[in-house]
Amino acid sequence: MKTLSPEALTVRVDRSPTAARVVPGGLDGFLRRCMAQARAEGERDASQRAAKAFEAATARLEAQQAEAADALARNAVQLAVEIARTLVRVEIDAGRHGLEKIVRESLAASGVGRGAAQVHLHPADHALVADVRWRSGTVVEPDDAVQRGDVHISTPQGLLVREINDSLRAIHERLLGELA
């Protein structure tokens, strides 16, 4: 006669059993082993699920951190440009924006050389450089259509426009481009 063991999953017998014998503690031990195995498998499954959930949470946190860092950098650029815009406006309003130098640099950038050029400035800016001697062929005129701090130069080759807001916008875009 073959003995059934708790570890056996399948028992083969040559003929029908005629008797069974219960081993004291055998069923209890079998049940304890089954429970221990089930508990271990459950703990493994729970640990694996927890590890996957932790990995997913970590990935979400890293993505949110990257988004926050990007938003912070963009906000810092925006704030810096707004501070620069405010400071530039204060300097322009106080007449401390180096207008003569700006006009001379703009004339040099125009490519007109010694040719004729007509410089258009806001009337308040025109008053700041009214006594400055310019090269021959350069006429500086007040123009209500020009903002304070801006310079418009008409030459036979075309119009050169140097505007503070455009300069600040270009700086803003360049800084944002460097973040990418």
Side-chain angles (χ1 to χ4, degrees):
M1 167 170 150
K2 296 202 177 195
T3 306
L4 293 176
S5 73
E7 292 80 26
L9 298 176
T10 306
V11 176
R12 272 200 227 167
V13 291
D14 295 333
R15 56 192 151 113
S16 297
T18 58
R21 182 170 62 122
V22 175
V23 177
L27 186 56
D28 288 341
F30 175 71
L31 289 176
R32 275 195 300 276
R33 284 191 301 277
C34 287
M35 291 297 288
Q37 182 180 358
R39 185 177 300 117
E41 288 175 9
E43 288 173 356
R44 254 191 324 275
D45 289 347
S47 293
Q48 289 172 352
R49 283 193 308 272
K52 286 179 184 177
F54 181 73
E55 288 173 5
T58 301
R60 285 191 307 272
L61 183 60
E62 288 172 351
Q64 290 171 352
Q65 180 184 14
E67 288 174 20
D70 184 55
L72 179 63
R74 290 181 181 284
N75 288 340
V77 166
Q78 182 68 31
L79 179 61
V81 170
E82 288 307 314
I83 289 170
R85 186 181 315 279
T86 300
L87 292 174
V88 166
R89 281 290 149 214
V90 166
E91 292 300 301
I92 289 171
D93 291 346
R96 296 187 302 254
H97 54 295
L99 185 62
E100 181 181 348
K101 181 179 179 184
I102 292 171
V103 171
R104 291 191 188 281
E105 287 175 355
S106 298
L107 282 167
S110 74
V112 72
R114 295 258 177 227
Q118 193 173 38
V119 179
H120 297 265
L121 302 174
H122 184 274
D125 286 343
H126 179 265
L128 293 173
V129 295
D131 296 333
V132 174
R133 292 185 45 101
W134 304 100
R135 64 182 182 205
S136 65
T138 299
V139 177
V140 179
E141 297 182 349
D143 187 337
D144 289 327
V146 177
Q147 298 291 314
R148 292 245 12 225
D150 294 347
V151 176
H152 294 192
I153 300 176
S154 297
T155 70
Q157 292 82 20
L159 178 68
L160 172 73
V161 177
R162 184 176 239 176
E163 295 183 340
I164 297 296
N165 285 334
D166 287 344
S167 298
L168 290 170
R169 190 176 312 109
I171 290 168
H172 182 253
E173 290 172 4
R174 187 170 62 234
L175 290 172
L176 288 178
E178 289 177 9
L179 294 177

